[in-house]
Amino acid sequence: MLKQVARLLATEVGSSGLVARLGGDEFGILLRDDGSATHDVAADVAERVRAVIEQSNFIYEGSSFRISASIGLVGLADSAGVQDALRLADVACFLAKDKGRNRVQEHRPSDTGMAVRVAEMSWVNRIRKGLDEGRFCLYEQEIRPVNGVLKGNDRRELLLRLRDESGALVPPGSFLPAAERYGLMPLIDRWVVRRAFEIIAERKHQPRKIASYAINLSGATIGDSDFVDFVAGLFAQLDVSPASVCFEITETSAISNLDEAQKFIARLREIGCSFSLDDFGTGMSSIAYLKHLPVDIIKIDGSFVKEILNSKVDRAMVEMITKTAKIMQKQVVAEFVENLAILDELRQIGVDYAQGYAIGKPVPVLTLWEEKIA
């Protein structure tokens, strides 16, 4: 198919430009400036290329396949050099895919959508550099029983943070969207899990015992067939008890990959880990899907929790989720618990655990050695 597309491109462009394969299923076309080249001319060439590819059929072993192309178009005058031109064309191509594929997307500096993608692309190298230079770190936030501190039931959620080149803390909302879009989450998840296991191992002999640590996993990792073996190897290597680890996945990522999520959760629970379903209640069919997911804990989305004192609908949602979870013998955690009044309301509803500023803010993780020094 790649050879067929290459011939189509070479024929269509002819002597007016240079065609090259950049890698994978990506091709580049560099149009020559003969004095009459304009954005409109380039756009016409790009549209002709798109139409020719769409109208072609690829025949393989007696079957016919339709193919299409998403095209990013950038003027060299709008870029700061060769690498910048390639980067902007790549961003435009991603935007063409986002808008439905099989289309041409021209780079325009004034386009806000393009500006967002350019910013995301800049994060890719910063994320990789952050991993290489050890600038990622973990924070922890307490998850406390609603009915008071129960000995031996202390829990923590481990939260990812990044320090930039100047040492300032970068919130995850700044870099995680780019990491998800450009396929870096499995790499980040593995770093988080390894570092989390190291922390759990370091703390095994502390006087104050933590019953379990919640570790967030992305939707991309749910589809990583090697991840379970990676986790099993870490348990053995660092002598960490699987019972001390609770993996968290969001409701959205679980539902969008339901079959894979079921298998993924089942395999890790066989090892001895528990599972929490995060941001629960945001989906239209949350309850219907819940019976198909073998999770141990439901974490109610904070958008409902923080408004339960002011909204009868949000309170009813929290109550319904809690009752359903109890029937299914699952524990319930409420996040975004910002004051004691909300905590009292959750106690009346029957929620098991609370997490939020009323319980404790996220703080940097300290190792056993650091805690002794402090």
Side-chain angles (χ1 to χ4, degrees):
M1 186 184 74
L2 292 173
K3 290 180 180 179
Q4 179 176 313
V5 170
R7 286 192 293 270
L8 289 172
L9 295 177
T11 300
E12 192 61 37
V13 174
S15 61
S16 63
L18 178 68
V19 178
R21 181 180 172 215
L22 302 179
D25 60 351
E26 293 183 340
F27 290 86
I29 298 173
L30 180 63
L31 295 178
R32 291 189 175 88
D33 185 358
D34 59 2
S36 62
T38 65
H39 276 71
D40 289 341
V41 172
D44 288 342
V45 173
E47 179 56 33
R48 288 204 315 269
V49 167
R50 185 206 63 77
V52 165
I53 292 175
E54 182 187 28
Q55 292 162 10
S56 66
N57 285 328
F58 174 62
I59 309 298
Y60 183 73
E61 293 185 349
S63 297
S64 177
F65 300 90
R66 298 295 299 272
I67 55 178
S68 66
S70 300
I71 300 176
L73 178 66
V74 61
L76 295 182
D78 296 330
S79 66
V82 175
Q83 292 303 320
D84 191 47
L86 286 170
R87 181 174 63 90
L88 294 175
D90 199 29
V91 170
C93 191
F94 269 103
L95 203 56
K97 292 178 182 178
D98 284 350
K99 291 183 176 181
R101 300 176 180 268
N102 192 30
R103 64 182 62 213
V104 177
Q105 175 67 48
E106 184 176 351
H107 165 69
R108 295 185 180 89
S110 60
D111 188 323
T112 54
M114 190 72 68
V116 170
R117 294 293 177 268
V118 170
E120 286 183 343
M121 284 288 284
S122 71
W123 269 112
V124 172
N125 287 333
R126 293 181 68 185
I127 290 169
R128 291 188 181 278
K129 194 174 179 182
L131 286 168
D132 292 341
E133 295 178 357
R135 287 190 280 105
F136 278 93
C137 58
L138 294 181
Y139 273 48
E140 61 182 332
Q141 187 174 27
E142 186 177 358
I143 303 173
R144 186 183 299 172
V146 169
N147 288 319
V149 178
L150 301 177
K151 189 175 181 180
N153 279 283
D154 290 348
R155 297 183 180 183
R156 300 284 186 274
E157 180 178 1
L158 297 176
L159 304 164
L160 181 66
R161 298 290 187 268
L162 170 65
R163 295 197 178 278
D164 65 17
E165 292 79 359
S166 68
L169 207 61
V170 181
S174 298
F175 62 87
L176 285 184
E180 290 170 351
R181 179 175 295 277
Y182 296 103
L184 296 177
M185 283 310 302
L187 191 65
I188 292 175
D189 282 350
R190 289 187 179 225
W191 182 90
V192 169
V193 172
R194 177 178 288 279
R195 182 68 191 115
F197 281 27
E198 290 171 350
I199 291 164
I200 296 170
E202 289 166 0
R203 291 182 168 182
K204 277 193 301 185
H205 304 297
Q206 279 185 300
R208 186 177 182 182
K209 302 298 182 184
I210 306 299
S212 69
Y213 291 85
I215 303 171
N216 292 278
L217 298 178
S218 67
T221 292
I222 293 174
D224 184 348
S225 58
D226 297 326
F227 183 77
V228 176
D229 292 335
F230 167 75
V231 171
L234 282 181
F235 278 130
Q237 177 187 340
L238 298 172
D239 191 25
V240 169
S241 168
S244 64
V245 174
C246 177
F247 287 114
E248 280 196 9
I249 57 174
T250 65
E251 176 192 353
T252 304
S253 63
I255 290 175
S256 62
N257 304 283
L258 189 58
D259 289 340
E260 288 184 346
Q262 288 172 324
K263 296 172 186 174
F264 182 81
I265 294 170
R267 288 185 65 193
L268 282 168
R269 288 183 84 230
E270 283 177 8
I271 294 174
C273 306
S274 57
F275 259 87
S276 175
L277 196 59
D278 199 7
D279 298 339
F280 189 78
T282 54
M284 294 298 291
S285 305
S286 298
I287 300 297
Y289 283 109
L290 183 56
K291 60 186 178 182
H292 299 296
L293 291 166
V295 297
D296 307 278
I297 298 168
I298 303 299
K299 183 177 276 190
I300 303 173
D301 186 74
S303 61
F304 300 117
V305 176
K306 66 182 181 180
E307 292 297 328
I308 61 171
L309 299 177
N310 307 314
S311 168
K312 291 182 179 179
V313 173
D314 287 340
R315 191 192 189 283
M317 281 291 294
V318 172
E319 192 170 7
M320 178 190 67
I321 292 170
T322 301
K323 287 182 177 179
T324 304
K326 292 298 181 65
I327 291 171
M328 302 177 75
Q329 298 183 322
K330 302 180 189 299
Q331 293 184 315
V332 180
V333 176
E335 56 184 0
F336 283 41
V337 181
E338 297 177 348
N339 55 60
L340 295 178
I342 292 176
L343 186 62
D344 288 339
E345 197 71 18
L346 294 171
R347 189 178 292 115
Q348 293 178 29
I349 291 172
V351 169
D352 299 299
Y353 287 86
Q355 181 179 1
Y357 283 10
I359 307 300
K361 295 182 179 181
V363 295
V365 167
L366 298 177
T367 64
L368 181 59
W369 181 82
E370 290 168 328
E371 288 175 355
K372 282 181 177 178
I373 295 297

